[in-house]
Each structure stands twice: as C-alpha cells, then as structure tokens.
Amino acid sequence: MRLLNKYKYYVTVAFCFGLIGLGAGLNLWFAPHIDVQANPAFEHIAVRPFIKAAIDDISSFNDKYLATDGDSKIIEISGIIGEISTNMNNETVILLNDESFKDAGVLCTLLEANNLKIPEIGSKITLKGIVRSGAEYDEDLELYIDAVLEEGKILN
Amino acid sequence: MKQFFKTTLLAVTTTLLSFNATAQDDLVTKAAHIKFYSEEGGITANNYAVVSKLNTKTGEMIFSAPIQSFEFENATMQKHFNQEGIMNSQSFPKGKFVGKIDNISNIDLSKDGEYDVTVSGKLTIKGKTNDVSTKGKIIVKDGKIMASSKFTIDRFAYGVEGKSQSVSQHIDLTINATFK
C-alpha cells in the first residue's frame, strides 16, 4: 500500500512538471509579436542624423539599431512628409524627408488602426516605429534606398 | 576650331541625350512584395518593403529586400528566422537579386498585354551569391507594369542551415512588383 502511494506521488510530481514544461513551451511558442507602441522609444531623432548615420557607416548603424532576433530598436523620428502611398498589403506608408537632403528618407509603414488621420504632404510630424533597415546608396539600383520603419504611429 | 566646337557640342549633346533616355527607361517601386513559403511546417512570411527597379529597354531587373521586414504570423518563428544561425539579419540586413529579362527584345512594354518572360541573374542572401533562372509573367495594363514570378531556392546554398528540421530545405519565393 505504501509502495503504491509512493508511486502515485512520483507520477503526480512528474505530471505537474510535465504540465509546467508544456505551459512554458506553449507560452514561448505562441508569444505575441513585440508591441511597438507599448514599448518606450530607444531615442528621439530627426531624419537627417538618422539617415546620415547609416550612409556614413552602415555596419555601426546596424550594430546600433538592428537586433539579432529582429526585435530591433524602437525610435521616435521627426521629419517632413514627402510622400504618402499604399503598399501591396494595403497599408499606408509615409516617406519622411529632411529638407536639406532628399535623396534618401525614412519609409514608415503605419499600423492599420492609425491610418485614419494623416497630415498633408509637407507637414512636419513625429513617428514612432521599429527599425528594419538603414538608408544606403545601392550601386546596382544606382540610387539611395530609404531607411525602413514598421508598425508606425503618428505621434503629432 | 569651329569644327572642334561643333564636334564637342555634338558629343556632349549625344551623351546627355543617351543618359536621359536611360534614366527615363528606369522604373522604380519601393513597395514590391516577396512571399516566403516552406512546405514543411506550412510556414509563410511576407515582405512588403522591397525596392525594385526595371529598365524597360534593357530588361535589367533588381530587387532589394530588408530581411527584418519579413513578417511571420508566429513571433517566435520570426525571431528564429532573424537569428545568427539562420539569416543573421543584423550582419546581413539585405537580400538582393540582380538580373535581367532574357527575352526583353520580344516584349513591348509600352503596349497592354500579357507576356511570359524568363529572368536570370544572381541572388544574394546572407552574403552568398548564386545564379538563378526562372520564368515569370509581365502584365501591362493602363500604364502599369505588373511583374510576378515564383521560384524555389535551396536554402543550404545560401548558408541558411539552422537546426530546425521543421523548415523545408527548398523554399518557395513569390515575387510581385508593380511599376508605374
């Protein structure tokens, strides 16, 4: 009888550990995407220095702004709206420029929920979004590629 | 002397005109789309931030994709994809295709219509470059040029190995771009 109770005890303990492990695994596997707007910004920066940092030294820029797991830096960035467009996923994309350097800007895809009120082209705004890539001159394309931010929201 | 100025002027004008013609033939979009699909695991990722250029005269075609813009439904999968052992997107933040439409001379992109094309070029992922040749379709309608292609790559040929057995060795890539 005592042996049976001991056996039951071990089975129950193993079962509990199994449940905890399964829960932890499922929690990790089904973890949500990073909530860009709920997290604090790493920095507030203007378009010009953000673009210049990447064009001057893309490796340092990548080390500073891109994370190894893709959950890269969340920034607030200010500039002038140069273009408003829609991508192939029907999301609104804003190009932020600097008046003194229009070859490259910052393309920011807005979160769907924030697509409603977009200021006019030429307005000065601040956006919050997650960095996906820096600006750089591409010799094959023979043009500057804009920096990319995603999951953006217009702050003002 | 007069002849010299005449010749110089002609040479400069010709150069400027040819440069202008080349620039006018280049169409660029900043919103092309690449879909990644692994049959094993049924894993899909989409990237809507792809820059692409098409030269309507020479058929030159270029795609540049920010790797961290590939969006997976599963956040953990997206993190694995970007990590050092897989795409190492911090060190290799862009993937690029540089090639051309082989049969561009048989296609009139100024006329509405559907054209079957073959495209060949070099695909660079994670710093490794391999030759790629694929079939595609170009639809010209109302001043828009819509290009699409689907092809398969061997991820091991690009050093995208990783430990996961739940992702196919051969990945389907679907590319769509609209040029105006």
Side-chain angles (χ1 to χ4, degrees), chain A residues 128-139:
Chain A
K128 185 180 181 186
I130 186 167
V131 180
R132 295 301 191 203
S133 66
E136 62 182 325
Y137 184 77
D138 188 298
E139 289 181 355

Side-chain angles (χ1 to χ4, degrees), chain A residues 45-56 61 77-80 96-106 135 144:
Chain A
I45 191 168
V47 167
R48 175 71 171 156
F50 185 70
I51 296 295
K52 193 173 182 302
I55 289 173
D56 287 351
F61 177 94
I77 189 160
S78 299
I80 310 283
L96 278 189
N97 279 135
D98 180 276
E99 280 182 334
S100 62
F101 183 75
K102 291 188 175 171
D103 288 337
V106 178
Y144 281 95

Side-chain angles (χ1 to χ4, degrees), chain A residues 56-88:
Chain A
D56 287 351
D57 186 348
I58 191 70
S59 295
S60 299
F61 177 94
N62 291 340
D63 287 343
K64 182 177 178 182
Y65 290 102
L66 299 185
T68 51
D69 66 358
D71 281 348
S72 295
K73 293 288 189 288
I74 294 164
I75 61 164
E76 289 179 10
I77 189 160
S78 299
I80 310 283
I81 298 181
E83 274 177 34
I84 301 168
S85 57
T86 306
N87 68 15
M88 289 182 127

